[in-house]
């Protein structure tokens, strides 16, 4: 594309548009509903991206990512409440706890594949939920934890304005996406793709599949733990039921990724942009009839999966390819005319 | 052609009339309603909504908010099926719908999540939820019309203990079964402490997950230990499973439920004859509420108003009176008026103790739990004696 003498690459144009899109919410009403929803979209995109690292790259379908999410939230919040440690440090600690949990979990679990791995992770999150409910001395039990409403300060990870939370959430998404991008490109990307396509073949060609899968899983758990901290700070309250929720967190992040495009950098963002507003609209407009909201949402999602099994990002790419073909044909004709 | 001009003119005039009309009428005052309207707890949410809507209708028919020129109240519902969605929904009510105050939620954890938003955005929240923490965090914008969960638990025990003692057979051993939710554990805590204070042996003290499908392991424990009284604290489905299971197996140990699932119409519908004589604590009851409210509720919805509907109507009335007193739709002014609430009339008098006065934490200091019993299709108040409308029927 030529624009006043400056050649603009199509890819650069898309990225520019995206950057502008991320800037728009800065101008929204800080107390507004819209900003909250946008923040939730980006936060869930970050969570789905964390899932994408293990689910999309290492091809380990996890249905228990709420476990790492909750571990992050509990670690940072308990450290803050009991020890006065800043949630920023707590966020890293939460990530480490989540990664260690993944390490311990992986030792028995990596013998399992496919559905069995998914079921085992699902059970792990449920077990953590029960632990959080019954070890009340440690976790405050089923009533959940309130982040004390103190003076907003950077050290306390509490801000006056929701705009600041939005900035933190976008930064989180950027960090997780950067990690994903680093892992998916270069030599590591090739190894992971080899494992994804055929694990035995990869093993034979000299790739240490166990270590690579373990490493990526731990990175995924670490970033998911960080998301947990940010979520806790953003909503100020959580309880075992909601933070370790199977439908609310585990399945949702996987679903976002699958709808958007598994193993693709922009898949989670596309998925979150569709799923979160869809849920919100359903709950706001269809609550009069019991069950109508979830029903409509499910039908739309099933249709999306049938239409584009590899995620909506491939629909976008197909459109682009078609446009390029058309463009090429046109310029070909033009060249012929000259 | 002429006809067309006429039509255009008519349109202009009617538009003008509509806009002038709406400008003249006082603006509605919006009250946000947060309830579980979908999902497993919707059976309660819908019931609460009925009570709240009726309270709003009755206040509007009585002239609305007089200090605001007869402005009408308007209930703006928001569905919060799980605590995960509470923050967004509350934020929407406040920033989008510009509500002056919020009433609800039935479930403690969702209320706690919503209160984090109302506190920061400085909009008053009047709730019916029981969790102790709601008014233990020093928040300025949260108000609780009902007693705290531990108080419910303690009185669930103390009331029946005193009643049976009066009949010359104080219970010696009891069983506590509760859901591992915020509501179940808080109330069980109060129950346990009260029983221990009286030196009563607790032979079963079991938490179980919400939504169990088989109550037999619990019932077997009760059969094995044969306590004098069973105290189940649960929402709806498990309440049905437990009581039906016990009665079908011929275990006729008296059960004293912990409100929630034990005092709604669906409980009686689901249990039929097994329901007769079941006791429960409650935050209010139809035979203590103003007659006009109860009659109208029954006429409108065809069922008896249960405590969740009544207490939520109380919460709406308290909010309306604060708006009246503040003479403003400004949430901050309404909050200040709420803090000074001292009302003993209207729908608010339906609460046991007849009055609503908040302490500095926002907890209603004038009310207390009551003990109710199923008699046929109705719940009657049987304890404490000074408010009871009927003698308790105790198993022989």
């Amino acid at each position: 594309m030529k624009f006043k003498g400056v050649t603009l690459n199509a890819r650069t144009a898309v990225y520019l548009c995206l950057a502008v899109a991320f800037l728009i919410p800065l101008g929204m009403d800080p107390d507004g509903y819209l900003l909250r929803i946008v923040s939730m979209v980006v936060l869930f995109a970050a969570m789905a991206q964390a899932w994408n690292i293990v689910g999309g790259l290492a091809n380990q379908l996890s249905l228990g990512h709420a476990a790492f999410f909750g571990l992050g939230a509990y670690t940072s919040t308990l450290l803050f409440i009991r020890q006065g440690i800043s949630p920023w440090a707590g966020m890293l600690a939460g990530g480490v706890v989540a990664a260690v949990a993944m390490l311990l979990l992986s030792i028995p679990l990596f013998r399992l594949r496919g559905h069995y791995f998914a079921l085992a992770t699902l059970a792990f999150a449920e077990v953590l939920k029960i632990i959080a409910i019954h070890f009340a001395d440690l976790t405050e039990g089923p009533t959940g934890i309130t982040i004390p409403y103190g003076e907003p300060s950077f050290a306390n990870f509490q801000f006056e304005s929701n705009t600041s939370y939005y900035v933190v959430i976008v930064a989180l998404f950027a960090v997780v996406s950067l990690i994903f991008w680093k892992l998916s490109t270069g030599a590591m990307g090739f190894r992971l793709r080899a494992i994804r396509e055929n694990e035995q073949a990869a093993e034979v060609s000299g790739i240490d599949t166990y270590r690579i899968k373990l490493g990526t899983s731990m990175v995924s758990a670490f970033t998911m733990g960080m998301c947990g901290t940010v979520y806790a700070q953003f909503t100020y309250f959580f309880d075992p039921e909601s933070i370790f929720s199977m439908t609310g967190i585990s399945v949702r992040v996987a679903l976002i990724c699958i709808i958007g495009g598994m193993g693709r950098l922009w898949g989670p963002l596309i998925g979150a942009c569709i799923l979160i507003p869809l849920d919100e609209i359903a709950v706001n407009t269809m609550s009069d009839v019991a069950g109508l909201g979830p029903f409509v949402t499910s039908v739309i999602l099933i249709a999306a999966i049938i239409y584009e099994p590899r995620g909506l990002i491939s629909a976008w790419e197909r459109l682009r390819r078609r446009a390029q073909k058309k463009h090429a044909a046109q310029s070909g004709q033009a060249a012929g005319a000259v | 052609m002429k006809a067309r001009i006429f039509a255009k003119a008519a349109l202009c005039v009617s538009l003008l009339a509509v806009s002038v009309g709406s400008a003249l009428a006082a603006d509605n005052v919006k009250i946000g309603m947060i309830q579980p309207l979908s999902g497993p707890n919707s059976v309660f949410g819908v019931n609460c909504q009925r009570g709240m809507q009726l309270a709003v209708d009755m206040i509007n028919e009585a002239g609305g908010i007089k200090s605001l020129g007869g402005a009408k109240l308007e209930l703006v519902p928001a569905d919060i099926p799980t605590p995960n969605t509470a923050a967004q929904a509350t934020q929407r009510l406040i920033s989008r719908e510009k509500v002056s105050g919020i009433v609800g939620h039935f479930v403690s954890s969702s209320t706690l999540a919503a209160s984090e938003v109302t506190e920061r955005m400085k909009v008053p929240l009047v709730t019916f939820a029981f969790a102790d923490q709601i008014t233990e965090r020093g928040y300025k914008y949260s108000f609780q019309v009902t007693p705290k969960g531990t108080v419910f638990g303690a009185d669930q025990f103390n009331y029946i203990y005193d009643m049976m003692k009066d009949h010359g057979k104080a219970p010696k051993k009891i069983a506590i079964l509760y859901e591992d939710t915020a509501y179940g554990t808080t109330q069980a805590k109060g129950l346990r402490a009260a029983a221990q204070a009286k030196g009563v042996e607790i032979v079963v003290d079991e938490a179980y997950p919400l939504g169990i499908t088989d109550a037999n392991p619990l019932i077997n424990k009760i059969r094995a230990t044969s306590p004098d009284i069973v105290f189940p604290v649960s929402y709806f489905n498990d309440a049905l499973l437990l009581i039906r299971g016990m009665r079908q197996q011929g275990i006729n140990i008296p059960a004293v439920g912990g409100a929630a699932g034990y005092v709604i119409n669906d409980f009686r519908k689901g249990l039929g004859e097994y329901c007769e004589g079941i006791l429960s604590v409650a935050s209010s009851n139809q035979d203590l509420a103003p007659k006009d409210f109860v009659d109208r509720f029954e006429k409108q919805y065809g069922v008896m108003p249960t405590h969740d509907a009544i207490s939520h109507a109380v919460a709406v009335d308290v909010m309306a009176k604060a708006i009246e007193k503040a003479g403003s739709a400004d949430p901050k002014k309404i909050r200040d008026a709420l803090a000074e609430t001292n009302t003993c009339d209207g729908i608010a008098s339906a609460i046991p103790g007849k009055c609503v006065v908040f302490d500095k934490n926002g907890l209603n200091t004038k009310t207390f739990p009551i003990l109710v019993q199923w008699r046929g299709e109705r719940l009657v108040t049987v304890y404490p004696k000074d408010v009871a409308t009927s003698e308790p029927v105790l198993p022989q």
Side-chain angles (χ1 to χ4, degrees):
Chain A
M1 195 195 297
K2 245 182 171 179
F3 195 64
K4 279 199 180 164
V6 184
T7 320
L8 203 61
N9 187 315
R11 182 176 282 260
T12 325
V14 169
Y15 285 143
L16 268 178
C17 287
L18 210 67
V20 172
F22 273 115
L23 289 177
I24 290 173
L26 296 178
M28 287 177 183
D29 172 16
D31 281 339
Y33 171 61
L34 203 59
L35 182 64
R36 184 161 207 113
I37 298 304
V38 174
S39 303
M40 280 319 251
V41 167
V42 182
L43 181 56
F44 267 91
M47 287 154 65
Q49 192 73 283
W51 184 90
N52 207 7
I53 292 173
V54 64
L57 289 182
N59 201 25
Q60 297 275 10
L61 270 188
S62 157
L63 289 182
H65 256 50
F68 312 111
F69 187 68
L71 282 175
Y74 268 108
T75 306
S76 66
T77 308
L78 290 174
L79 283 176
F80 180 53
I81 293 176
R82 305 263 165 91
Q83 308 290 332
I85 294 170
S86 163
W88 291 104
M91 180 160 79
L92 296 178
V96 170
V97 169
V100 170
M102 186 52 134
L103 176 70
L104 297 177
L105 187 68
S106 296
I107 294 168
L109 240 57
F110 270 10
R111 295 166 188 278
L112 305 175
R113 260 160 235 239
H115 309 319
Y116 300 105
F117 180 83
L119 287 177
T121 50
L122 192 147
F124 180 59
E126 289 297 304
V127 167
L128 284 188
K129 185 199 288 181
I130 292 169
I131 290 176
I133 286 174
H134 289 277
F135 287 75
D137 291 338
L138 178 68
T139 62
E140 313 271 320
T143 29
I145 303 189
T146 297
I147 314 264
Y149 181 20
E151 273 302 299
S153 78
F154 183 78
N156 285 349
F157 207 140
Q158 290 198 10
F159 308 108
E160 190 80 60
S161 150
N162 279 340
T163 314
S164 312
Y165 284 105
Y166 172 73
V167 173
V168 170
I169 289 170
V170 169
L172 176 75
F173 176 69
V175 168
V176 184
S177 297
L178 192 72
I179 294 172
F180 177 88
W181 185 69
K182 276 278 168 205
L183 285 175
S184 66
T185 51
M188 194 60 173
F190 280 114
R191 287 191 198 112
L192 281 165
R193 244 164 287 157
I195 294 172
R196 189 172 62 193
E197 297 307 326
N198 190 333
E199 200 170 326
Q200 277 163 334
E203 184 86 52
V204 169
S205 36
I207 297 171
D208 189 346
T209 55
Y210 186 83
R211 260 175 79 180
I212 287 181
K213 270 163 51 179
L214 185 62
T216 34
S217 303
M218 283 172 70
V219 170
S220 171
F222 184 89
T223 47
M224 194 68 179
M226 282 171 44
C227 295
T229 301
V230 175
Y231 176 86
Q233 293 296 326
F234 181 54
T235 54
Y236 330 113
F237 169 84
F238 61 91
D239 63 339
E241 205 66 49
S242 55
I243 204 93
F244 289 119
S245 166
M246 185 181 80
T247 47
I249 307 289
S250 290
V251 172
R252 212 157 180 220
V253 291
L255 192 62
I256 286 173
C257 222
I258 293 165
I259 293 281
M262 261 166 73
R264 311 295 304 271
L265 180 61
W266 297 108
L269 189 63
I270 293 174
C273 281
I274 291 174
L275 202 77
I276 304 296
L278 199 62
D279 277 351
E280 204 59 33
I281 292 167
V283 87
N284 288 347
T285 56
M286 285 175 254
S287 286
D288 307 341
V289 186
L292 181 64
F295 176 75
V296 171
T297 324
S298 323
V299 167
I300 294 175
L301 292 182
I302 291 169
I305 290 285
I306 292 173
Y307 171 67
E308 223 24 280
R310 283 178 304 146
L312 291 174
I313 193 164
S314 11
W316 156 256
E317 277 165 354
R318 211 173 44 220
L319 282 177
R320 216 179 59 189
R321 263 200 306 276
R322 202 176 294 163
Q324 270 169 358
K325 223 185 250 169
K326 209 170 162 191
H327 185 72
Q330 272 172 358
S331 46
Q333 272 176 1
V338 171
Chain B
M1 190 66 191
K2 238 180 192 171
R4 200 183 286 168
I5 289 171
F6 179 73
K8 271 184 187 164
L11 189 70
C12 287
V13 169
S14 53
L15 276 178
L16 201 67
V18 168
S19 53
V20 169
S22 56
L24 284 179
D27 281 341
N28 283 354
V29 181
K30 288 183 176 177
I31 296 179
M33 177 191 85
I34 49 174
Q35 289 299 350
L37 299 175
S38 59
N41 282 324
S42 59
V43 54
F44 298 104
V46 171
N47 210 14
C48 300
Q49 183 177 22
R50 287 170 167 182
M52 291 172 71
Q53 187 59 52
L54 183 57
V56 163
D57 291 348
M58 288 174 72
I59 292 163
N60 284 342
E61 282 161 27
I65 306 294
K66 294 174 189 85
S67 62
L68 286 173
K72 299 279 184 267
L73 291 179
E74 184 188 337
L75 211 55
V76 187
D79 179 19
I80 301 181
T82 61
N84 275 341
T85 57
Q88 288 99 288
T90 311
Q91 183 120 24
R92 178 174 68 88
L93 286 177
I94 296 171
S95 58
R96 242 315 108 120
E97 304 286 351
K98 311 272 182 231
V99 297
S100 297
I102 294 180
V103 179
H105 184 285
F106 174 80
V107 178
S108 292
S109 47
S110 295
T111 306
L112 285 165
S115 72
E116 299 294 339
V117 176
T118 53
E119 186 70 15
R120 282 164 177 82
M121 299 190 73
K122 300 192 167 33
V123 173
L125 170 75
V126 181
T127 181
F128 154 92
F130 294 176
D132 288 21
Q133 290 95 318
I134 293 171
T135 46
E136 278 180 355
R137 298 166 298 175
Y139 279 12
K140 288 196 166 62
Y141 286 82
S142 298
F143 298 90
Q144 200 169 12
V145 288
T146 51
K148 293 199 273 195
T150 45
V151 176
F152 270 103
D155 284 347
Q156 186 180 357
F157 176 81
N158 288 333
Y159 287 172
I160 187 78
Y161 182 86
D162 292 348
M163 263 165 61
M164 290 183 79
K165 206 173 160 198
D166 287 349
H167 282 68
K169 43 176 183 179
K172 291 189 182 62
K173 45 182 189 173
I174 61 162
I176 305 174
L177 306 171
Y178 60 100
E179 262 170 20
D180 60 10
T181 57
Y183 147 71
T185 35
T186 313
Q187 201 159 318
K189 196 170 134 196
L191 235 167
R192 198 176 297 125
Q196 279 160 352
K198 288 272 182 2
V200 171
E201 192 191 350
I202 304 171
V203 290
V204 181
D205 191 345
E206 273 296 295
Y208 62 87
L210 171 71
I212 48 163
T213 48
D214 180 13
N216 280 320
L218 297 170
I219 294 168
N220 287 341
K221 277 192 182 143
I222 290 174
R223 183 196 291 284
T225 53
S226 59
D228 297 327
I229 310 175
V230 180
F231 294 96
V233 183
S234 48
Y235 286 114
F236 180 52
N237 283 329
D238 18 350
L240 285 185
L241 281 176
L242 266 172
I243 301 295
R244 191 187 293 134
M246 273 171 58
R247 297 297 187 251
Q248 277 173 347
Q249 295 185 27
I251 303 176
N252 284 317
I253 301 167
V256 183
Y262 293 86
V263 286
I264 55 173
N265 288 298
D266 295 83
F267 181 69
R268 195 197 58 78
K269 243 192 272 167
L271 279 183
E273 55 172 325
Y274 293 137
C275 183
E276 186 68 19
I278 297 274
L279 292 146
S280 176
V281 280
S283 68
S284 58
N285 196 25
Q286 48 95 15
D287 54 6
L288 303 180
K291 207 173 170 325
D292 55 340
F293 177 83
V294 177
D295 289 347
R296 177 126 175 228
F297 191 99
E298 281 181 40
K299 210 172 133 202
Q300 209 151 321
Y301 303 114
V303 289
M304 162 187 78
T306 47
H307 86 131
D308 43 2
I310 298 171
S311 297
H312 270 101
V314 169
V316 167
D317 195 35
V318 166
M319 181 71 86
K321 281 173 172 149
I323 298 170
E324 181 77 70
K325 194 167 163 194
S328 160
D330 176 25
K332 291 198 192 78
K333 289 182 184 150
I334 297 170
R335 182 261 150 206
D336 292 341
L338 267 171
E340 288 164 14
T341 297
N342 187 348
T343 175
C344 300
D345 59 349
I347 303 171
S349 68
I351 203 98
K354 298 269 173 218
C355 298
V356 178
V357 177
F358 294 117
D359 67 7
K360 68 175 190 343
N361 286 325
L363 178 69
N364 182 8
T365 54
K366 294 287 174 187
T367 190
F368 46 84
I370 52 172
L371 201 62
V372 296
Q373 186 168 37
W374 281 102
R375 300 278 176 77
E377 296 199 353
R378 297 195 86 77
L379 277 166
V380 296
T381 309
V382 295
Y383 209 82
K385 280 179 195 142
D386 51 337
V387 294
T389 57
S390 184
E391 278 290 309
V393 177
L394 289 176
Q396 294 314 304

